[in-house]
Amino acid sequence: MNTKFRYDINGLRAYAVALVVLFHFNILGFSAGFIGVDIFFVISGYLMTKIIIEQLLHNKFSIWRFYLARGIRILPALMVLITFVGVLSWWLLIPEEYKTYGKHAASSLTFLSNLIYLRESSDYFSTAAHEKILLHTWSLSVEWQFYIILPIILLIIGRIKSSRQILNFSILIGFLISLYFSYKISLTNQSAAFYMINTRAWEMLAGGLVYAYFNKIDLSELNRKSIEILGFGLILTSLIIFETTTLWPSVNALLPVFGSMLILLAIQFIYGIGQ
């Protein structure tokens, strides 16, 4: 993966982070900035699927090396953040609040914070939820749960039959199953649908589908530009039409997710990252 490509992926990540930050600061026009999380999920799913499948097909995949690489990339920065905020909170929070912060910090470090916030009935869009200092780590927990589960499933499938087609098809089936859960659970339990891995995995698997099925695609410059513009257009449309009252993720998240897939597809074609 070349440096230029990494710069572009990081650029898309920056857009996603900016949307979430603007949403939390209640900036006018960004009431749907929470879609930045969905964009980030698609990016992560794309990159992780690429790493796992390429190494599996070349018999070079080590699940422990994969976990270690993810941990080295994420844990140090997370520990610094939690420690820094913990020191400040010692002086700023009352004892009961500090005790709650400690529980949330532990759940963040063990990548279970999404489950804790769900158990506390924390509606992500409520004012009370936004007072939880480490609320943003719920998405990191979902990602890590995905990082743990995906390689195990693909490794088992790869051991049974090391076939690119079968691995690709398993990603598609996982995408469809998770999307179904997202739709059904959103109708009955909005918080569970928002925080749980089974209702969010399809967004990361959507990124995996870009690599799995479109890594060899050949596009003209006009088509590439059109796909990229359409992708950003879908994200912009999502930002305009969705609100915090929108059922989420359900099937509504398909709009920004599909937009992110199109942008990744255009980037992939430019830099040949699927080759």
Side-chain angles (χ1 to χ4, degrees):
M1 191 180 298
N2 60 47
T3 303
K4 192 172 184 181
F5 164 66
R6 290 176 64 90
Y7 175 83
D8 274 44
I9 286 290
N10 286 337
L12 187 56
R13 281 197 185 106
Y15 285 126
V17 171
L19 289 177
V20 176
V21 171
L22 292 171
F23 163 72
H24 281 291
F25 277 95
N26 296 314
I27 303 301
L28 183 65
F30 292 91
S31 59
F34 56 85
I35 66 172
V37 173
D38 306 272
I39 297 170
F40 206 93
F41 281 163
V42 177
I43 296 170
S44 295
Y46 173 85
L47 294 174
M48 294 307 104
T49 303
K50 179 181 187 297
I51 291 170
I52 296 169
I53 289 183
E54 283 189 349
Q55 293 183 5
L56 276 176
L57 293 177
H58 291 89
N59 295 316
K60 295 180 179 178
F61 183 71
S62 166
I63 196 167
W64 303 116
R65 189 166 61 239
F66 177 83
Y67 290 155
L68 180 61
R70 306 283 75 73
I72 291 173
R73 185 179 181 86
I74 295 172
L75 276 171
L78 180 61
M79 292 176 68
V80 169
L81 170 67
I82 288 175
T83 301
F84 178 74
V85 174
V87 171
L88 289 180
S89 298
W90 175 264
W91 304 103
L92 300 176
L93 301 179
I94 62 174
E96 189 62 31
E97 291 174 334
Y98 196 73
K99 181 180 178 180
T100 300
Y101 172 79
K103 179 180 71 173
H104 290 167
S107 69
S108 297
L109 285 171
T110 53
F111 303 111
L112 297 172
S113 59
N114 60 323
L115 303 179
I116 294 298
Y117 293 130
L118 175 60
R119 184 180 301 172
E120 293 176 351
S121 300
S122 298
D123 179 356
Y124 180 78
F125 299 111
S126 70
T127 301
H130 288 187
E131 293 175 355
K132 298 178 186 295
I133 301 173
L134 298 175
L135 178 67
H136 62 285
T137 64
W138 77 267
S139 60
L140 185 60
S141 294
V142 170
E143 280 195 73
W144 254 95
Q145 290 158 22
F146 179 78
Y147 294 166
I148 291 172
I149 296 170
L150 180 67
I152 293 174
I153 294 175
L154 293 182
L155 183 60
I156 292 172
I157 294 171
R159 290 285 174 84
I160 296 172
K161 180 66 174 179
S162 183
S163 164
R164 177 63 181 265
Q165 289 72 28
I166 293 176
L167 290 171
N168 290 354
F169 186 66
S170 65
I171 292 170
L172 175 60
I173 293 299
F175 168 85
L176 294 174
I177 292 173
S178 177
L179 179 58
Y180 174 77
F181 283 142
S182 180
Y183 168 70
K184 293 296 289 185
I185 295 176
S186 291
L187 295 175
T188 58
N189 191 331
Q190 176 69 59
S191 291
F194 192 91
Y195 286 117
M196 295 296 289
I197 179 63
N198 59 329
T199 55
R200 288 290 190 166
W202 70 270
E203 300 182 63
M204 288 169 274
L205 291 171
L209 289 175
V210 176
Y211 173 73
Y213 285 98
F214 301 101
N215 70 314
K216 300 292 185 181
I217 194 170
D218 189 14
L219 299 171
S220 67
E221 180 64 15
L222 176 61
N223 287 337
R224 185 199 65 75
K225 284 285 187 182
S226 299
I227 288 173
E228 187 174 24
I229 291 171
L230 177 59
F232 277 109
L234 291 178
I235 290 175
L236 180 59
T237 300
S238 303
L239 201 59
I240 295 171
I241 68 174
F242 293 134
E243 298 286 344
T244 55
T245 55
T246 303
L247 203 60
W248 204 265
S250 187
V251 294
N252 294 312
L254 277 168
L255 199 60
V257 165
F258 189 55
S260 304
M261 291 173 70
L262 292 176
I263 295 170
L264 284 175
L265 176 58
I267 293 174
Q268 175 173 264
F269 173 73
I270 297 172
Y271 300 107
I273 56 181
Q275 304 302 320

